[in-house]
Each structure stands twice: as C-alpha cells, then as structure tokens.
C-alpha cells in the first residue's frame, strides 16, 4: 500500500509552485521535485529505482524509467504545467501516442494532472494540484491508487515465443521511430544509410533504413541471447554474441558499443534488460524445428511482423511459406534427384540455392531432410565437409537475412552441432536480380558489404547450381541492368502487347523464374522447385515465357493450388493473399535447348475433384503426397499460347480462320485510368463543376475535408489544382466557364452508369492515363464504340457493351486483367490541307473491301452484326475457351445469316445506348420512404431489391437482377456504386428503364439462339 502522506504532497505542491513562479522554469526544472516525491512515497519494500533518463532535450526517450533489480516497472513522461494533457501540441501528441502504443505501463503528467496508460488504454487519471498549484486533498487517495496500479505492473519473465515476439516488436517500433526522427543529426547512422543505398538497395529511403536498422538490432540481440552463456550487455553482444563470420552485422553492432545518444541508449539497454529476463531454456525448447512438421521460428517472425509492421511484407511482397508447402517442394526435389539423376540432396555435386531466402525456411527443411536421410554422427561430417559449401541463399532485407542465419544455427544446435566463429552458411545479403556496382567508398562497413556482394555475384554468375528452390517475392517494378537482359527472352514476339507485358512480366516472381532458368541452363542439368503466383500458367502475355521454359526443360510438373479470389475461386489460399498460387517443378535432364514440343508437361489441380478446399485441407494434401504419389495429367501445350493448364482448344483451327477484332479495326485501346475514382469522377455535371471551382478556390485541407479525399495512388489535390490552373491560364485566358464547358465530359463508368469528369488530354492530377489518342474520337464528333475485353479470368465471356462516350478502364470488370477496350467505329482525323476534321471508318481498308464485296454493307451495319454475334449464346459456348484468352474473333457467315444478326444487333445497340424512348412509371414500385442506399440485397419473395432496412425497389424480376455484363450484375453494381447517396428521381427512373432494357435484351438473346448460322 502507498501510505497517505499529506505533508510530503504539500511540500511537492510548494516546490512546483515556486519553480513556476520563478518565471524562467523549463520542463526539466520540475523533474527533481517529482522524483523526490515518488522516492518519498514509494515504500522501500517495492525495491524500485527511479532513473532520470534524459541528459538533454531529445525526442525519443521517456523522462523517467522505474525499475526493480530484476525487471522494468514502467515509464513516466513529463510535460510543462501549462500544457493541457487532453489537448497536446502536435509534436507532443505524436510522441505520447507512440509511447502509449509501445510501452505496456506509461504514466503521463504535467506535474498537476496524472494519466496512467496500460497496454495502450487509459486506466486511471487524477488531478493532484489545482491551477494555482494547491494540493487537492480530496484526491490524495485517488492519486495513491493510481500510483499503486502503476507499481503493480511489471514486465513479467517472458516464457513463450509469442510473448517475446510481441515485446520485441513494440520496442522495435520505438527504435525505428527514434532513428528516423534523429538520424540526420547522427553521423554514424547517416554513414550506415549511405552505405546501404550505395552497396545494397539504391532506392532505399530513410524510413526503410530506419526499419532495417531497428530489425537488425532487435534480431542481433535476440541471436546473441541464444548464443551467449552469460547475461547480455552492449559489449559482449558484439565480441561474443554475433558470429564474426557475419561481418556486416558485426560491424553494425560495433556502433552500439560507442557512446550513444539518449534516444538510442535507453531503448537498446531496455531490450538487453528484458532479453536477460527471458527464460531462454523454455523458449529454446519451443524453437525445435521439424519436430511436429512446423517451423516455430517462422511463426515467431510472423507474430513479430503482425505487431511491428503488418504492411511491411506486403510492400515488398514478402510472404513466409507454410511448412507443408516447403516440405512438399524439398521432398519432391529429393525424389526427382533420385529418379532422374541417381543423386540425393546431400551428394557432393548437388549445390542448392534459395534466391529469396527470407528467414531460411526452405534451407532449414533441406537440412532436416538430409538429417533424416543421413543418420547419426555422419550428418555432422556431411555438414562440415559438404553441406556448408553446397547450400546457398540470397536475401535483400537485412532482418530476414539475420533471422535465416539464426534459424539455421538454432536448427543445428538442437542436433548438438555448433558452427565455429569463422564458419557460416553461404547466405548472402544481396539482391538476387542485380550484380554489384563498382564500390565508391572504402570504409570498413562498405568493405564488408562489398565482400558479401562479391561472393554473391560469384554464385550468380559462376557457381554451378544443381537445385534452385524457394518462394520468390511478388512485386511489380521495372527490370534494370543484368536481369533486364535476361527478361528480353520472355518479351520476344509479343509485338504490340509488349507495353502491357511490361506490367505482367515485370513482377519479381517472373524475374526469379527467369534467373533460375538461366542458372540451370548454365549448369546444363538440374531442378527448380518454386511456389509462385499462378497467373503465368495461362496469362496471354506469358505465352513466350511458357514457350521458353518448355524449350529449356525436359519435364515440367504444375501443381495448381488455386485460391484466386480475383477470379472468383471460393477455395482458400495457402497464403493470406488474393492471388492464386502454384507449385512448379522444372527438370532439365540434358544440356542445350530443344523444341518446346519435346517438353513433357504434367498438371494436377488440388480442387478439380474435391471442389473448394480449406487451407488446412490443402496442407493435408501436401503432407501426404510428393511428386511420386500424384496422379498427374499430361498436357500437350501447343503454340502460340503453350498453356500450362488444361484447355479444350480442339476447335482452334476453325476459330483461328475468323478475323480478330484487332485485325479488323485500325485503332483501339483500354479505357481511361483515373488516379482516384472517388475524387476525379462525379455523379452529375453540377457536382463536377462545383468540385473544380472548389479545387481552384479552397485551401488544400479544406478541399480534402469537403470531399473526403485522401491522397492515394498518384492523385494529389496539389497536382490536380496545378494542372487545372495551368489549363485555365494557358488555354482559356482565365475564362472558367469556357474551360468547364469544354473539359467537363461524360464517361461510361460501368454498364448503364455514366459519370462526369474533368478531362485533360494529357496525364495530370486527375488521370494516370487519359488515353486521349482513342477517347478523342468519342469527343470530337458523334460516334459509336464497341466495348469488349481481351482476357476473361473469372467465369465465362460476357464482356461486351456499346457506348457513345469515352470509357473508364474497369468498365467491364474490377479484375485488373479484364480491362475494357474501346473500338471506335469512326476516327476523327484532321486534314492537313484544310485543317478540318474528317470522319473516317476505324476499319482497315482491306476489311472494308471484304464487307462491301460480301455483304454490301456499312460500318454501322457491321457493328450491329458483330454486337449480335458476341451476344449469341451458341457462339459464346462453342468458343468459350478462346474468348478467355484474346480479343474475340468474328465468324463471317453468309449474307442471309448476316442480315438476321444485323437486325437483332441493331435493336440491341439502340437499347444499350438508351436511344429508344422507354416510358416508365415508378409510382407503385417504391416501398418505403428512405431512398439512401445502405445495403443492397435481392428479395426473391418480393421480386425486388432492398436498398436499406425499410425500402425496397419492386418489380425487378430475378433474371433481370442476375443479368451480367462483364464481371458486373448490372442493377446491383449501379446501386452499390451509390452507397451512402440518396437516390434522385432521375436515378430511380434510370434504374427502371434499365430493367426494361434488360428484359428486352433477354428476349432478343433467345431469338439469337434460334438462328442457325451458315457460311458460304
């Protein structure tokens, strides 16, 4: 119990008041009375020490630390008496919030008011002194209870990996924050940062460096705690705890043996104190690898990241691979080595590389597999004489690099094996996809970084690698340097698709496959075992990639694990990601290349028989199977696509005779790509006009607040404002109305859903890509455009619509691969002699000739015909597989058939352009008086759509509700696009017009189905 001592408290009040009234007090002036008060009030049996941490004004060290000889009790942060703790200045608010989140027991005071936070929650508060610094005696007991609660919270002895991960993550966040805030004033940190940029990651920013530094220190201390037999301190960590063979890490830790600034010293000392209080034996026992088919270190790192920075792994595409996946790959590779090469993983000439090693899970499982194969003390002989030299890994992030070394050493430790000071695995800190630049600095740290890079480059370019395994990261960015040269092979022959391929083929996982392919080509023989994004199995722009792989390898085994939410797959992914994944094993039996057709490709889908599987069912499948047990289906991939998934392409020759849309039309392109839909598109002209006026007149923050705008993607208020201001000044001489009349344009946003935007013909704050070269033809004069897709990833082909307006990129689907392409019927070309715009067909002259000879028809009639064909269920069904992989091909039936399709197609076009007058009466259709869209749901019983709890739109048949264009159920998408808005009368009438249009469309499609098409 804290004793009641009013006299001591009154003395404290007088001391604080005297300092305040002196007129020249700083925040520090009050700390001595507070420390004296606490030391006088807290009984000796608590055995606490109150340490005044800060030696000078710093941003990052709490003012007091309260400890016992064995543990940390908590922290106290002080502010000046005149500061209101409920309305802290911005800098103080940020600091206090950080301490609340990162420190389990934190007391905040301005010497009058005291607020106690425990586990980021305010648990107690009291005002001890009034505004005149008089003791409020009625609050003495309340203050005592607050103090007792503060003293009762101590850092417990950590006994589980989960507790340790949570604690280390919180302290790592503090360390990262203080490094970032103070590094410009610290020469050592600036030097380390420059070295990392120069020798490892040229694009590294200060935030990424602070993150790398914090994780390195935390994991280095963690490693030392499990290495040393004595308590940690800042000196033995360096000279005994960090292996000398890890020179880069060793050099970083030398920095902490010097005199550190307060903001670093207190947090590093705290980490050491808590790690010294860890029950090492208990945790070491829980870190036993492979005992129950698990990787406890992986779970530890996942727990750490979940608290430290859950976005980190996403930003760099870092995903830690589940053990069943890793074991399947490693075990299958070992079996293929036996069956195809009469070798094993531990054989002398079997070199193994993980080019994206992460925390070392794959190499850990390799060691475990070899340990099972090689019994007894013989394993240690193999390890020292062979495995240490045969196992390689690359990792670009220093914290996983360090964790990988720690994990492998702990795996060996559980088998009673320890590496010597100068022994290490060949896991290098390097970017697997680049070669070292010539060094420009000669410092010791830079020298060690260069040593790592030089050894890694030797492995990349010279060392013969027989087995490459791993889980490459997913991160789209341009190829540079050495890897860019290798990637040209995958771009070969793609023609006009190269631009789009730059995204799909610039994903890091594709580059890692290309790198691994090249390494095995250099070796002449070998195996790759990867788990990656599975989009390359059937992606259109990946066709040369697949062909190249078939030309290199003799056997390819594809285990499709699915889990692609973007394609509408309902099974669970083995990772926490949206993109589907596959395990692929590539086997090269002999040197040299061969024809793609000579490669045997085997395929198995984990869900093709069983339907949707849970993640754990997939793990079960992987645990109970290897490459030997699976009943593979042999595929016969054929050019030009070479699909690695089953496809029924038996009608390929028939379908291939038809002209493709991009062979018929001269110009086409995908839709406008906005930088931020919510900010750059409006429902009405008036809304968009007002937004532009506000953009030009309101302060940036006020504009953001009014329109709930967040600066995301590439859109920023400032950028847009600058672009509009320049346009107004340059092209309209300041005439705002003239500018609005020209620049405000309608856009087909979704089927039957038109929005307004401010449309500049160049990339600006509103658009990443305005695609003016195509969209101008829909603006400069009257026109019709066919809208369709090139690739269908989800479901069947329903991706066709018609427009008289520019289109938005996702007009047919929010799936990025199912983009909407616009084929204008006419182009508006400026005559260089007359200066006038001339309307000319956007159809290739040679095809116009065919149309005139075959049908004697106009471009409009041909568009009607095409539109009808693409809506015909017979056509969609017969050519379903082909319609998923490229622009549709159009069969040229005989003239009689042409006329039948044209007639129905014309009515469909006029319906979908809403040219026909469709009278609607909504008087009895609306049940309820709340027209705000909240939650959209179909009511089968009432044949209507509920937009909130009380209102339903009646008279909408279920087949109309289910009618889909592209990836959207039309009525549902229109309503969901207005969530949070009150439907206007115009919008209600529009909905019911669309209902009638869809009803008639369904009837016309049934008529199309009756047509028996004939060729000449």
């Amino acid at each position: 119990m804290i004793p009641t001592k009013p006299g001591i408290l009154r003395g404290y009040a007088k001391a604080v008041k005297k300092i305040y009234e002196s007129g020249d007090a700083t925040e520090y002036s009050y700390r001595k009375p507070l420390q004296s008060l606490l030391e006088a009030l807290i009984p000796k049996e608590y055995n606490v020490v109150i340490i005044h941490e800060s030696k000078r004004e710093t941003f990052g060290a709490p003012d007091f630390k309260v400890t016992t000889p064995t543990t940390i009790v908590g922290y106290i942060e002080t502010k000046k008496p005149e500061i209101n703790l409920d309305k802290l200045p911005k800098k103080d608010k940020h600091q206090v919030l950080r301490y609340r989140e990162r420190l389990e027991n934190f007391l905040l005071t301005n010497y009058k008011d005291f607020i106690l936070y425990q586990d980021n929650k305010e648990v107690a508060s009291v005002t001890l002194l009034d505004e005149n610094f008089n003791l409020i005696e009625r609050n003495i007991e309340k203050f005592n209870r607050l103090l007792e609660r503060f003293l009762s919270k101590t850092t417990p002895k950590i006994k589980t990996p989960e507790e340790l991960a949570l604690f280390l993550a919180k302290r790592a966040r503090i360390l990262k924050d203080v490094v970032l805030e103070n590094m410009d004033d610290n020469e050592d940190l600036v030097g380390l940062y420059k070295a990392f940029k120069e020798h490892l990651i040229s694009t590294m920013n200060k935030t990424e460096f602070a993150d790398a530094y914090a994780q390195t220190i935390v994991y280095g201390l963690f490693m030392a705690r499990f290495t040393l037999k004595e308590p940690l301190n800042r000196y033995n960590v360096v000279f005994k705890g960090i292996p000398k063979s890890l020179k880069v890490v060793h050099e970083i830790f030398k920095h902490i043996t010097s005199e550190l600034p307060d903001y670093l010293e207190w947090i590093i000392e705290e980490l050491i104190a808590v790690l010294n209080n860890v029950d090492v034996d208990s945790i070491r026992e829980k870190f036993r690898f492979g005992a129950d088919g698990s990787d406890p270190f992986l779970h530890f790192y996942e727990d750490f990241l979940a608290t430290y920075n859950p976005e980190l792994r996403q930003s760099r595409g870092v995903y830690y691979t589940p053990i069943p996946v890793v074991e399947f790959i490693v075990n299958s590779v070992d079996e293929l080595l036996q069956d195809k090469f009469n070798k094993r993983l531990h054989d002398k000439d079997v070199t193994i590389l993980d080019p994206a090693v992460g925390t070392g899970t794959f190499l850990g499982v390799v060691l475990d597999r070899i340990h099972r194969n090689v019994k007894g003390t013989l394993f240690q002989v193999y390890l020292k004489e062979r495995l240490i030299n045969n196992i390689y890994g690359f990792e670009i992030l220093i914290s996983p690099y360090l964790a990988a070394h720690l994990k492998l050493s702990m795996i060996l430790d559980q088998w009673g094996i320890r590496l010597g000071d100068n022994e290490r695995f060949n896991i290098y800190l390097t970017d697997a996809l680049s070669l070292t630049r010539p060094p420009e600095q000669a410092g010791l740290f830079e020298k060690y970084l260069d040593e790592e890079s030089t050894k890694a480059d030797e492995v990349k370019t010279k060392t013969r690698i027989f087995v490459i395994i791993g889980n490459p990261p997913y991160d789209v960015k341009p190829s540079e340097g050495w890897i860019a040269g290798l990637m040209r092979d995958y771009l070969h022959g793609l023609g006009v698709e190269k631009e789009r391929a730059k995204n799909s083929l610039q994903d890091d996982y594709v580059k890692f496959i290309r790198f691994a392919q090249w390494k095995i080509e250099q070796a002449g023989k070998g195996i790759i075992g990867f788990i990656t994004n599975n989009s390359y199995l059937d992606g259109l722009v990946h066709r040369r990639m697949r062909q190249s792989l078939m030309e290199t390898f003799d056997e390819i085994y594809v285990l499709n694990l699915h889990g692609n939410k973007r394609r509408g797959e309902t099974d669970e992914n083995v990772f926490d990601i949206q993109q589907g994944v596959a395990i692929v094993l590539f086997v090269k039996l002999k040197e040299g290349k061969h024809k793609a057709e000579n490669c045997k490709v085997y395929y198995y889908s984990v869900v093709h028989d069983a339907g949707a599987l849970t993640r754990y069912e997939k793990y079960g499948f992987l645990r109970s199977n290897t490459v030997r047990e699976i009943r593979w289906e042999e595929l016969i991939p054929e050019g030009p696509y070479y699909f690695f998934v089953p496809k029924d392409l038996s009608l390929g020759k028939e379908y291939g005779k038809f002209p493709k849309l991009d062979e018929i039309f001269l110009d086409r392109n995908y839709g406008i790509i906005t930088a931020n839909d919510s900010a750059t598109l409006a429902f009405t002209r008036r809304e968009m006009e007002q937004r532009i006026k506000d953009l030009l007149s309101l302060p940036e923050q006020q504009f953001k607040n009014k329109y709930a705008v967040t600066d995301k993607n590439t859109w920023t208020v400032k950028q847009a404002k600058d672009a509009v201001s320049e346009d107004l000044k340059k092209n309209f001489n300041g005439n705002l109305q003239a500018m609005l009349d020209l620049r405000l344009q309608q856009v087909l946003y979704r089927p039957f859903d038109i929005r307004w935007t401010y449309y500049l013909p160049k990339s600006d704050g509103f658009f990443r890509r305005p695609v003016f070269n195509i969209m101008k033809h829909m603006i400069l004069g009257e026109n019709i455009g066919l809208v369709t897709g090139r690739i269908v990833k989800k479901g069947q082909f329903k991706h066709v619509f018609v427009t008289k307006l520019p289109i938005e990129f996702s007009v047919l689907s929010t799936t990025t691969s199912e983009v909407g392409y616009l084929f204008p019927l006419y182009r508006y070309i400026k005559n260089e002699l007359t200066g006038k715009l001339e309307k000319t067909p956007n159809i290739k002259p040679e095809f116009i000739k065919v149309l005139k000879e075959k049908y004697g028809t106009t471009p409009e009639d041909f568009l009607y015909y095409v539109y009808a064909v693409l809506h015909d269920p017979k056509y969609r069904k017969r050519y379903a597989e082909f319609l998923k992989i490229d622009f549709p091909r159009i069969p040229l039936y005989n003239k009689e058939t042409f006329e039948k399709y044209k007639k129905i197609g014309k009515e469909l076009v006029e319906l979908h352009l809403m040219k026909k007058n469709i009278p609607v009466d909504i008087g009895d259709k609306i049940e309820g008086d709340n027209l705000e869209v909240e939650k959209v749901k179909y009511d089968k019983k009432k044949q209507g759509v509920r937009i909130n709890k009380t209102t339903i739109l009646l008279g909408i048949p279920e087949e109309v509700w289910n009618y889909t264009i592209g990836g959207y159920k039309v009525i549902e998408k229109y309503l969901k696009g207005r969530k949070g808005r009150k439907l206007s009368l115009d919008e209600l009438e529009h909905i019911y017009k669309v209902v009638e249009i869809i009803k008639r469309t369904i009837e016309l499609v049934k008529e199309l189905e009756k047509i028996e098409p004939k060729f000449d």
Side-chain angles (χ1 to χ4, degrees):
M1 291 286 292
I2 303 296
T4 302
K5 296 182 178 179
I8 291 174
L9 289 165
R10 291 190 196 103
Y12 165 74
K14 287 179 183 178
V16 172
K17 186 175 184 178
K18 183 178 180 181
I19 294 169
Y20 182 77
E21 290 177 344
S22 70
D24 61 352
T26 67
E27 178 186 330
Y28 295 89
S29 306
Y30 301 94
R31 291 185 183 170
K32 188 173 181 181
L34 178 61
Q35 185 169 357
S36 297
L37 170 69
L38 296 175
E39 288 174 343
L41 286 181
I42 299 172
K44 289 183 179 180
E45 56 264 28
Y46 278 90
N47 202 18
V48 301
V49 177
I50 300 168
I51 304 168
H52 184 197
E53 288 283 283
S54 295
K55 303 181 183 72
R56 62 182 185 276
E57 182 73 45
T58 60
F59 188 54
D63 300 319
F64 292 97
K65 176 162 71 173
V66 182
T67 70
T68 71
T70 58
T71 188
I72 297 162
V73 175
Y75 296 86
I76 303 172
E77 178 68 20
T78 62
K79 300 298 172 190
K80 293 179 181 178
E82 57 267 31
I83 289 180
N84 185 336
L85 298 185
D86 293 325
K87 295 180 181 178
L88 291 167
K90 187 174 181 180
K91 182 179 177 181
D92 291 323
K93 187 175 183 179
H94 174 74
Q95 180 199 45
V96 167
L97 182 62
R98 186 174 66 205
Y99 289 154
R100 284 180 53 182
E101 290 176 345
R102 274 73 152 173
L103 301 172
E104 295 81 2
N105 196 26
F106 171 61
L107 181 59
L108 176 66
T109 182
N110 59 5
Y111 303 99
K112 299 183 297 181
D113 305 300
F114 294 79
I115 304 176
L116 177 60
Y117 299 97
Q118 292 182 336
D119 300 318
N120 199 21
K121 295 178 183 176
E122 181 181 326
V123 296
S125 64
V126 62
T127 298
L128 186 63
L129 309 182
D130 65 20
E131 58 187 32
N132 295 317
F133 298 95
N134 297 311
L135 177 65
I136 305 174
E137 302 214 8
R138 67 178 181 275
N139 285 347
I140 291 176
E141 286 303 319
K142 193 173 181 181
F143 175 75
N144 286 349
R145 288 196 297 274
L146 178 145
L147 193 55
E148 283 177 357
R149 188 160 186 175
F150 175 74
L151 294 169
S152 68
K153 180 90 170 179
T154 60
T155 303
K157 191 174 183 70
I158 295 173
K159 295 183 178 180
T160 70
E162 294 79 13
E163 292 171 340
L164 184 57
L166 181 65
F167 176 85
L168 292 179
K170 286 184 176 183
R171 296 316 188 268
R173 287 176 70 186
I174 293 179
L175 183 54
K176 174 189 171 183
D177 290 341
V178 298
V179 167
L180 185 60
E181 286 156 3
N182 294 279
M183 65 178 288
D184 289 342
D185 300 321
N186 187 305
E187 290 182 6
D188 290 334
L189 292 176
V190 170
L192 287 174
Y193 172 49
K194 287 180 178 178
F196 269 91
K197 276 180 70 76
E198 177 60 35
H199 297 264
L200 189 61
I201 307 174
S202 61
T203 58
M204 177 179 271
N205 58 38
K206 290 180 180 179
T207 301
E208 290 169 332
F209 168 75
D211 169 71
Y213 180 87
Q215 287 202 62
T216 301
I217 294 296
V218 167
Y219 268 86
L221 292 172
F222 178 50
M223 171 183 269
R225 184 67 184 94
F226 282 85
T227 302
L228 293 170
K229 302 292 186 183
E230 60 193 81
L232 285 182
N233 59 55
R234 280 199 278 149
Y235 304 95
N236 65 11
V237 164
V238 178
F239 300 109
K240 295 182 181 179
I242 303 295
K244 292 183 176 63
S245 56
L246 301 183
K247 294 179 181 178
V248 171
V249 182
H250 206 263
E251 196 63 23
I252 290 174
F253 268 82
K254 277 188 180 178
H255 162 64
I256 74 167
T257 63
S258 60
E259 184 176 347
L260 292 174
D262 304 348
Y263 56 81
L264 288 179
E265 185 178 28
W266 81 268
I267 187 63
I268 289 173
E269 289 290 357
E270 163 150 313
L271 283 162
I272 289 171
V274 171
L275 283 167
N276 280 333
N277 199 38
V278 165
D279 187 339
V280 173
D281 292 336
S282 175
I283 290 181
R284 193 192 301 276
E285 184 60 31
K286 292 180 173 68
F287 268 103
R288 293 192 66 80
F289 183 89
D292 57 353
S294 67
D295 179 358
F297 205 103
L298 182 147
H299 294 301
F300 175 82
Y301 199 67
E302 290 278 13
D303 290 340
F304 174 87
L305 276 186
T307 299
Y308 173 68
N309 187 354
E311 292 82 27
L312 175 68
R313 67 178 193 172
Q314 227 170 358
S315 68
R316 285 200 172 268
V318 182
Y319 293 93
Y320 297 93
T321 320
I323 282 291
V325 172
V326 182
E327 287 184 336
F328 176 89
I329 293 174
V330 172
N331 294 341
S332 293
V333 165
D334 199 23
E335 291 180 355
L336 287 169
L337 284 169
Q338 286 180 280
D339 298 345
K340 307 295 180 180
F341 301 97
N342 195 29
K343 298 177 183 293
R344 297 299 298 272
L345 283 168
H346 55 273
D347 281 357
K348 185 175 183 179
D349 57 350
V350 176
T351 44
I352 302 163
L353 168 67
D354 182 345
V357 81
T359 61
T361 303
F362 274 88
L363 297 185
V365 170
V366 166
L367 289 177
D368 191 53
R369 173 82 176 187
I370 295 172
H371 189 255
R372 294 169 193 265
N373 293 342
V374 181
K375 304 297 182 184
T377 56
L378 193 58
F379 175 79
Q380 185 159 350
V381 177
Y382 270 93
L383 177 76
K384 299 281 186 171
E385 294 186 10
R386 188 172 294 174
L387 299 182
I388 272 195
N389 298 318
N390 277 8
I391 292 176
Y392 299 89
F394 300 148
E395 177 53 48
I396 192 171
L397 299 176
I398 192 167
S399 44
Y401 159 84
L402 184 56
H405 279 285
L406 174 57
K407 175 190 286 182
L408 296 187
S409 68
M410 291 180 73
I411 291 171
L412 296 181
D413 187 65
Q414 76 186 32
W415 297 328
I417 302 171
R418 301 210 51 161
L419 295 180
D421 265 353
N422 296 311
E423 291 179 316
R424 59 171 279 182
F425 286 98
N426 297 317
I427 298 173
Y428 298 116
L429 187 63
T430 185
D431 180 354
L433 302 178
S434 70
L435 295 177
T436 309
R437 292 161 292 161
E440 295 181 7
Q441 302 180 52
L444 193 59
F445 179 66
E446 290 81 3
K447 176 187 172 185
Y448 292 147
L449 274 174
D450 284 338
E451 277 184 17
E452 285 274 308
S453 297
T454 301
K455 289 176 182 176
D457 286 353
E458 197 165 306
V459 178
K460 292 173 198 174
T461 58
K462 296 179 182 178
T463 304
R464 181 183 179 275
I465 299 294
F466 206 99
V467 170
I468 302 177
I469 53 176
N471 172 18
Y474 313 158
D475 187 19
V476 177
K477 59 180 181 288
S479 298
E480 294 179 352
W482 170 67
I483 193 64
L486 292 180
M487 290 301 297
R488 290 192 193 105
D489 183 44
Y490 287 179
L491 291 164
H492 182 70
L494 293 182
V496 294
E497 295 169 288
K498 279 188 180 180
E499 185 63 33
R500 187 167 174 274
K502 284 179 183 176
N503 284 330
S504 297
L505 292 179
Q506 297 306 321
D507 201 314
D508 273 354
Y509 86 88
V510 176
K511 297 172 202 168
F512 273 86
I513 290 175
R514 181 68 188 97
F515 164 72
Q517 176 188 1
W518 178 78
K519 280 301 292 178
I520 297 299
E521 285 176 332
Q522 303 309 300
K525 298 178 183 178
I527 302 171
I528 300 171
F530 276 168
I531 180 167
T532 70
N533 178 323
N534 67 4
S535 60
Y536 78 99
L537 301 182
D538 61 355
L540 186 63
V541 296
H542 300 90
R543 62 184 183 274
R544 171 56 197 160
M545 174 187 177
R546 292 188 292 270
Q547 182 185 12
S548 175
L549 290 166
M550 290 177 68
E551 290 169 349
T552 296
F553 295 97
D554 298 281
E555 296 177 1
I556 298 174
Y557 298 84
V558 178
L559 177 59
N560 197 344
L561 294 172
H562 297 280
N564 194 327
K565 301 304 179 188
R566 294 170 183 168
R567 292 194 185 186
E569 294 178 346
T570 57
D571 60 306
E572 282 189 291
N573 201 303
V574 294
F575 299 106
D576 290 323
I577 58 175
Q578 297 288 310
Q579 176 59 53
V581 295
I583 291 172
V584 182
L585 300 159
F586 301 96
V587 183
K588 185 168 180 61
L589 300 172
K590 51 188 179 294
E591 294 186 10
K593 285 185 175 287
H594 50 249
K595 289 183 179 180
E597 289 71 22
N598 292 338
C599 175
K600 292 185 178 295
V601 179
Y602 302 97
Y603 178 86
Y604 188 85
S605 164
V606 295
V607 299
H608 77 294
D609 288 330
L613 295 178
T614 67
R615 175 177 302 170
Y616 296 100
E617 286 173 325
K618 291 181 182 180
Y619 292 167
F621 173 87
L622 293 169
R623 284 194 185 99
S624 57
N625 288 280
T626 61
V627 67
R628 285 175 178 165
E629 281 87 33
I630 291 174
R631 298 175 64 183
W632 299 98
E633 171 190 358
E634 185 172 357
L635 305 181
I636 311 294
E638 296 180 350
Y641 300 114
Y642 298 101
F643 291 118
F644 283 1
V645 296
K647 295 274 188 182
D648 181 6
L649 302 179
S650 56
L651 296 173
K653 289 184 179 179
E654 173 185 305
Y655 184 73
K657 293 177 181 178
F658 309 150
K660 195 150 49 90
L661 284 179
D662 59 338
E663 297 168 356
I664 296 171
F665 288 88
L666 287 163
D667 287 342
R668 95 287 181 189
N669 212 331
Y670 47 71
I672 295 165
I673 302 178
T674 79
N676 187 330
D677 285 5
S678 61
T680 58
L681 297 166
F683 291 97
T684 67
R685 178 191 169 97
R686 180 180 293 179
E687 287 178 21
M688 198 68 219
E689 186 170 309
Q690 187 59 51
R691 184 172 301 173
I692 296 301
K693 290 177 180 177
D694 287 341
L695 180 69
L696 292 170
S697 62
L698 294 178
E700 182 176 342
Q701 192 57 52
Q702 203 172 331
F703 180 87
K704 286 183 178 182
N705 293 341
K706 180 173 180 178
Y707 292 102
V709 172
T710 57
D711 286 347
K712 66 176 185 178
N713 300 329
T714 58
W715 197 92
T716 67
V717 173
K718 183 181 184 304
Q719 187 181 15
K721 186 172 187 173
D722 289 346
V724 174
S725 298
E726 182 186 354
D727 189 38
L728 177 61
K729 181 179 178 181
K730 185 176 179 181
N731 299 312
F732 299 95
N733 295 319
N735 187 332
L736 179 61
Q737 196 55 51
M739 181 188 76
L740 293 173
D741 289 343
L742 183 65
R743 297 301 192 203
L744 294 190
Q745 295 286 340
Q746 288 182 300
V747 174
L748 181 66
Y749 181 66
R750 302 289 181 262
F752 299 107
D753 189 351
I754 294 168
R755 304 283 176 93
W756 284 87
T757 193
Y758 182 87
Y759 188 60
L760 272 173
K762 62 179 182 178
S763 184
D764 56 70
F766 278 83
F767 297 108
R768 294 210 303 270
R769 294 183 185 173
V771 204
F772 188 68
N773 65 321
I774 292 296
M775 299 307 151
K776 66 182 180 182
H777 302 306
M778 311 304 292
I779 295 171
L780 296 175
E782 189 175 343
N783 212 339
I784 304 175
L786 179 69
V787 184
T788 189
R790 184 165 199 175
I791 298 173
V792 178
K793 293 286 189 182
K794 188 175 176 179
Q796 300 299 316
F797 175 82
K798 298 176 182 177
H799 298 63
V800 61
F801 200 59
V802 70
T803 184
K804 56 185 178 182
L805 299 169
I807 66 168
E808 196 269 341
F809 183 76
S810 299
V811 63
L812 295 177
S813 173
T814 47
T815 301
T816 53
S817 57
E818 297 182 347
V819 302
Y821 282 82
L822 175 65
F823 293 81
L825 187 58
Y826 289 99
R827 298 189 301 167
Y828 285 86
I829 307 296
K830 188 176 182 179
N831 187 308
E832 295 299 328
L833 295 176
T834 66
K836 293 181 179 180
L837 288 174
E838 294 182 352
K839 182 180 181 181
T840 61
N842 183 33
I843 297 176
K844 294 182 178 180
E846 61 270 27
F847 198 78
I848 286 182
K849 184 179 178 182
V850 171
L851 292 179
K852 285 182 178 178
E853 290 176 355
K854 190 172 180 68
Y855 303 121
T857 191
T858 65
E860 281 86 358
D861 287 343
F862 179 66
L863 181 74
Y864 301 150
Y865 168 78
V866 169
Y867 203 60
V869 168
L870 295 178
H871 276 84
D872 185 355
K874 299 189 302 299
Y875 169 86
R876 291 183 176 184
K877 183 178 180 181
R878 184 172 181 82
Y879 305 118
E881 289 297 331
F882 304 99
L883 289 168
K884 293 178 180 180
I885 58 179
D886 208 342
F887 289 125
R889 291 182 176 272
I890 307 302
L892 301 180
Y893 299 124
N894 64 17
K895 191 171 188 336
E896 180 184 357
T897 306
F898 178 91
E899 292 297 328
K900 291 177 181 177
Y901 277 109
K902 181 192 78 174
K903 181 182 177 182
I904 297 175
K906 183 178 182 180
E907 185 175 353
L908 282 171
V909 167
E910 289 175 347
L911 279 168
H912 294 175
L913 290 177
M914 302 189 81
K915 282 188 173 182
K916 289 193 172 185
N917 182 30
I918 303 173
V920 294
D921 181 7
I922 62 172
D924 59 348
K925 300 282 176 64
I926 315 299
E927 184 181 288
D929 56 7
N930 177 9
L931 293 178
E932 183 175 338
V933 181
E934 296 172 2
K935 188 175 181 181
V936 179
K937 188 178 180 182
Y938 189 73
D939 188 320
K940 289 185 179 182
K941 189 175 181 181
K942 288 202 169 189
Q943 294 281 289
V945 182
R946 295 191 177 277
I947 62 171
N948 53 52
K949 290 181 180 179
T950 60
T951 303
I952 184 169
L953 311 184
L954 300 169
I956 302 178
E958 188 171 1
E959 65 175 350
V960 171
W961 166 254
N962 288 325
Y963 186 80
T964 300
I965 295 175
Y968 305 123
K969 289 166 70 173
V970 175
I971 302 295
E972 179 184 48
K973 191 64 184 175
Y974 184 89
L975 287 168
K976 283 186 173 180
R978 284 152 179 77
K979 186 175 180 180
R981 282 177 61 87
K982 185 178 179 181
L983 293 176
S984 67
L985 183 60
D986 285 346
E987 287 171 322
L988 288 168
E989 289 179 342
H990 177 84
I991 290 167
Y992 281 98
K993 284 180 183 178
V994 174
V995 168
E996 295 305 314
I997 288 169
I998 292 174
K999 284 181 183 178
R1000 179 59 182 154
T1001 298
I1002 292 170
E1003 292 172 357
L1004 291 171
V1005 166
K1006 290 177 181 176
E1007 290 184 30
L1008 285 172
E1009 202 162 16
K1010 295 175 185 176
I1011 296 175
E1012 296 182 9
K1014 295 178 182 177
F1015 292 96
D1016 287 328

